[in-house]
Amino acid sequence: MIQPQSVGVVAPQRAHFAEPLPLRSGGSLPEYELVYETYGELNADRSNAVLVCHALSGSHHVAGHYADAPKNIGWWDNLVGPGKPLDTRKFFVIGVNNLGGCHGSTGPMSINPASGEPWGADFPFVTVEDWVEAQARLADRLGIARFAAIVGGSLGGMQALSWTLQYPERVANAVVIASAPKLTAQNIAFNEVARQAILSDPDFHGGHYYAHGVVPTRGLKLARMVGHITYLSDDAMGDKFGRSLRHGKAIYSYDVEFEIESYLRYQGDKFAGFFDANTYLLATKALDYFDPAFEHGGNLPAALARATADFLVVSFSTDWRFSPARSREIVYALLHNQRNVSYAEIESDAGHDSFLLDEAQYHALLTAYFDRIKV
Amino acid sequence: MSYRYDYEVITQWIAPGEKVLDLGCGDGSLLKHLAEVRQVQGYGVENDPDKLLACTRNGVNVIQMDMEKGLAGIEDGFFDHVIMSLSLQAMHNTQGILVEMLRVAREAVVSFPNFGYWRHRQSILNGRMPVSESLPHQWFNTPNVRFFTISDFDALCEMNGIAVRERLAFDEGKLILDEPNFLASVAVYRLGRGG
């Protein structure tokens, strides 16, 4: 066992697809590009590929850092690398930026070939299923017929689950972390508040803000603040910030007084500085629409009957946005179909964000699971 | 795999290809054994993170669940056999879990250490809590919370309308036919719904 290491310097790659992509929402994207990164080496029989699907605000940059930006470290760098749970000495790991994204894949900031202008709000709705279709074409391009594993947390977990339904024969193992078979009404409600914050920003301009040289940063900041609250647990927020007052006492103003206000504003500003508002709108709608049981009258066991992969489902005890109960719905639906499934509910005080953190039990479990995957 | 003689009995009661649930499955050894010799589709239930890890390393399906709260989520009659090997004595909700076991499977297999075993009685007579192969822990670190005998368990089954379809008793691996409550250290039961 070597000491866990980073994959080091990485560089994104780009794949262009000239064949139109039919979309669930109707119509199609005439052509598109996907930006992706890979870590490790594809083995001779191409059996060691692992696809990592990203969540709402993630990207293809899963591990390592860029030569010109050593501090821009991939969002799951603690999980992917030599000697890490997803060991790149064994696996060929792929991260891909979803369609509609704002990190290089074709999205609202890209030029709409029909108008010669950025797509903006005219970029079509994309769903989890559409993302899987696009990822499948990338897999074809890379010569990967079947993945050793498809892994994702949150919205990424939905993609991993959807893969096992859309291309059951192409997935040996699915690792679905802090996810759900569909959002609850409460979840959709939070997403709607986030979207309304963006849509009602005067700088939104119906989604065509690129042409106006502005971005709806205030709306995007508010959207992120709402989201961020739901990703943390009450206890974690209490432990970290409590009711600490910046001035040591109330000064009766709308400026930052409580430390939690400062934190949320900082997180909101930071996010609004690099993320695209239209992408945020599209991604939250993709979350809302995902519901593989819908076509089966809401019967999740019937919906998951197609899946043939082996599953690891993981939840976190204090995750109230994607609660353990939601993961158990997936587990029992797979059990009903006699699939190989293991389930762990990790004790953590960090809420939904736990899936990005270094919880020892969580990483040990993933290590054990990935170790046993034969490639 | 550490040798556990109740495994041999349990294995004989499992038909090839059955759906099996193992409650308190530990490191998954029994399920691994049953998968190899009976080709069962098996699932373990555990709540101890270290044992979940061990199951995962063993390639055994394991579902984290607090059995004290029952087996909600598992369908009625889904399993052929539900097994609880040497774990019943570590459960608080003894009656509740027996009801749940016979809800989710057509038959339950239960094994437990017999507190009425003569060496255990001798130890008590000598004024000390028994420590043996079947009760390996000291009183201060035992995971066991229920101390009962074969006779006690028979009475519980009768009281709860649980049918005892078969019972085998052992003294450290040797089959005991006479006076099991006195001479056997471990009992293995095949249980069904009463009537």
Side-chain angles (χ1 to χ4, degrees):
Chain A
M1 186 72 186
I2 61 164
Q3 281 299 309
Q5 294 169 20
S6 169
V7 295
V9 174
V10 296
Q13 301 169 73
R14 182 174 290 274
H16 182 263
F17 298 85
E19 188 190 346
L21 183 76
L23 300 171
R24 280 264 170 137
S25 56
S28 67
L29 266 182
E31 58 178 322
Y32 59 96
E33 288 188 331
L34 292 179
V35 172
Y36 64 98
E37 287 177 15
T38 69
Y39 323 102
E41 300 289 330
L42 190 60
N43 64 7
D45 60 0
R46 297 169 184 269
S47 64
N48 68 334
V50 174
L51 179 66
V52 174
C53 303
H54 70 75
L56 186 63
S57 59
S59 72
H60 53 281
H61 186 35
V62 177
H65 61 272
Y66 298 132
D68 59 351
K71 288 186 177 168
N72 188 352
I73 296 165
W75 56 271
W76 235 356
D77 190 72
N78 60 7
L79 205 69
V80 178
K84 294 183 181 181
L86 242 174
D87 196 326
T88 48
R89 295 169 301 172
K90 175 180 178 182
F91 295 110
F92 176 66
V93 180
I94 304 165
V96 54
N97 184 213
N98 287 332
L99 277 179
C102 54
H103 292 98
S105 291
T106 298
M109 291 189 294
S110 309
I111 299 300
N112 178 355
S115 67
E117 301 287 324
W119 280 93
D122 297 331
F123 195 84
F125 283 98
V126 281
T127 63
V128 168
E129 290 82 359
D130 298 329
W131 288 336
V132 168
E133 290 299 330
Q135 290 161 1
R137 289 188 185 178
L138 179 64
D140 293 342
R141 186 74 61 87
L142 296 173
I144 297 158
R146 178 176 163 89
F147 284 99
I150 298 186
V151 188
S154 194
L155 179 55
M158 290 173 167
Q159 293 165 62
L161 181 61
S162 203
W163 258 99
T164 70
L165 307 178
Q166 290 171 254
Y167 292 101
E169 69 289 348
R170 298 188 71 168
V171 191
N173 292 273
V175 180
V176 178
I177 304 167
S179 195
K182 63 175 188 286
L183 291 193
T184 61
Q186 187 193 45
N187 261 312
I188 295 170
F190 281 120
N191 284 346
E192 173 60 4
V193 172
R195 283 191 295 268
Q196 285 302 324
I198 293 169
L199 293 167
S200 60
D201 187 316
D203 284 338
F204 185 62
H205 296 293
H208 295 290
Y209 44 86
Y210 313 107
H212 293 78
V214 292
V215 282
T217 49
R218 282 165 293 181
L220 189 54
K221 173 182 173 179
L222 286 179
R224 184 59 173 179
M225 286 169 77
V226 170
H228 210 84
I229 295 166
T230 71
Y231 305 146
L232 304 178
S233 71
D234 192 15
D235 283 348
M237 219 182 263
D239 288 348
K240 199 166 176 182
F241 306 104
R243 295 177 50 86
S244 298
L245 287 159
R246 173 165 286 192
H247 308 288
K249 60 177 185 177
I251 57 168
Y252 303 100
S253 81
Y254 296 111
D255 292 335
V256 168
E257 291 195 66
F258 293 96
E259 286 300 336
I260 183 63
E261 296 175 319
S262 168
Y263 176 75
L264 281 180
R265 289 186 195 193
Y266 169 75
Q267 290 293 340
D269 283 333
K270 194 173 78 168
F271 188 74
F274 73 86
F275 207 81
D276 179 57
N278 279 318
T279 290
Y280 204 86
L281 293 172
L282 286 169
T284 56
K285 288 301 277 190
L287 267 165
D288 294 356
Y289 291 129
F290 183 68
D291 182 9
F294 184 76
E295 290 166 13
H296 298 265
N299 185 335
L300 187 64
L304 301 195
R306 288 177 56 76
T308 57
D310 291 352
F311 282 82
L312 174 66
V313 179
V314 179
S315 71
F316 297 92
S317 57
T318 52
D319 184 351
W320 57 278
R321 181 128 194 207
F322 290 78
S323 72
R326 311 306 316 286
S327 283
R328 284 197 294 267
E329 289 176 36
I330 298 172
V331 172
Y332 290 125
L334 291 167
L335 185 64
H336 174 90
N337 289 299
Q338 294 186 59
R339 295 276 69 82
N340 284 318
V341 54
S342 285
Y343 168 66
E345 183 180 322
I346 309 290
E347 281 292 331
S348 162
D349 63 6
H352 185 57
D353 272 352
S354 301
F355 82 92
L356 298 167
L357 306 178
D358 279 327
E359 299 287 346
Q361 187 202 339
Y362 165 48
H363 280 221
L365 181 72
L366 292 180
T367 300
Y369 192 83
F370 286 121
D371 272 355
R372 83 181 211 209
I373 294 175
K374 293 185 177 67
V375 299
Chain B
M1 184 181 96
S2 62
Y3 183 69
R4 287 263 302 268
Y5 49 86
D6 63 329
Y7 285 11
E8 295 306 315
V9 177
I10 293 166
T11 303
Q12 285 169 32
W13 290 340
I14 306 294
E18 281 194 355
K19 285 182 279 185
V20 172
L21 184 69
D22 185 5
L23 302 179
C25 65
D27 67 0
S29 298
L30 175 60
L31 282 173
K32 199 174 175 188
H33 178 67
L34 290 173
E36 281 161 12
V37 302
R38 289 289 187 269
Q39 295 76 50
V40 302
Q41 175 67 358
Y43 299 86
V45 168
E46 258 302 339
N47 206 24
D48 177 333
D50 292 334
K51 290 173 180 169
L52 275 141
L53 264 184
C55 285
T56 304
R57 292 198 182 103
N58 268 327
V60 168
N61 294 316
V62 61
I63 294 169
Q64 186 167 13
M65 204 190 304
D66 179 3
M67 291 183 294
E68 296 284 2
K69 294 176 182 164
L71 304 174
I74 299 178
E75 296 159 61
D76 292 1
F78 182 76
F79 288 97
D80 297 299
H81 277 101
V82 57
I83 299 165
M84 191 179 264
S85 171
L86 298 179
S87 292
L88 188 65
Q89 75 282 0
M91 293 278 305
H92 284 92
N93 186 16
T94 315
Q95 296 187 79
I97 196 65
L98 285 170
V99 169
E100 278 290 83
M101 288 173 80
L102 288 169
R103 176 182 71 77
V104 302
R106 63 181 167 78
E107 271 191 354
V109 175
V110 173
S111 66
F112 58 83
N114 174 30
F115 202 67
Y117 179 49
W118 69 273
R119 288 183 190 276
H120 297 157
R121 298 188 196 196
Q122 188 178 49
S123 183
I124 296 279
L125 275 175
N126 289 334
R128 297 292 303 270
M129 286 299 283
V131 176
S132 67
E133 192 183 341
S134 60
L135 288 174
H137 298 89
Q138 294 285 348
W139 65 273
F140 52 83
N141 66 5
T142 179
N144 301 333
V145 295
R146 304 282 184 235
F147 297 90
F148 53 100
T149 68
I150 289 174
S151 296
D152 287 332
F153 191 70
D154 285 341
L156 182 72
C157 288
E158 190 171 345
M159 189 174 86
N160 287 331
I162 295 170
V164 176
R165 298 198 172 144
E166 209 165 338
R167 183 191 73 201
L168 295 171
F170 299 89
D171 178 6
E172 316 297 7
K174 190 166 133 272
L175 190 65
I176 299 295
L177 297 174
D178 296 326
E179 298 283 352
N181 197 44
F182 188 61
L183 297 175
S185 59
V186 167
V188 193
Y189 282 70
R190 194 162 65 83
L191 305 172
R193 288 170 209 133

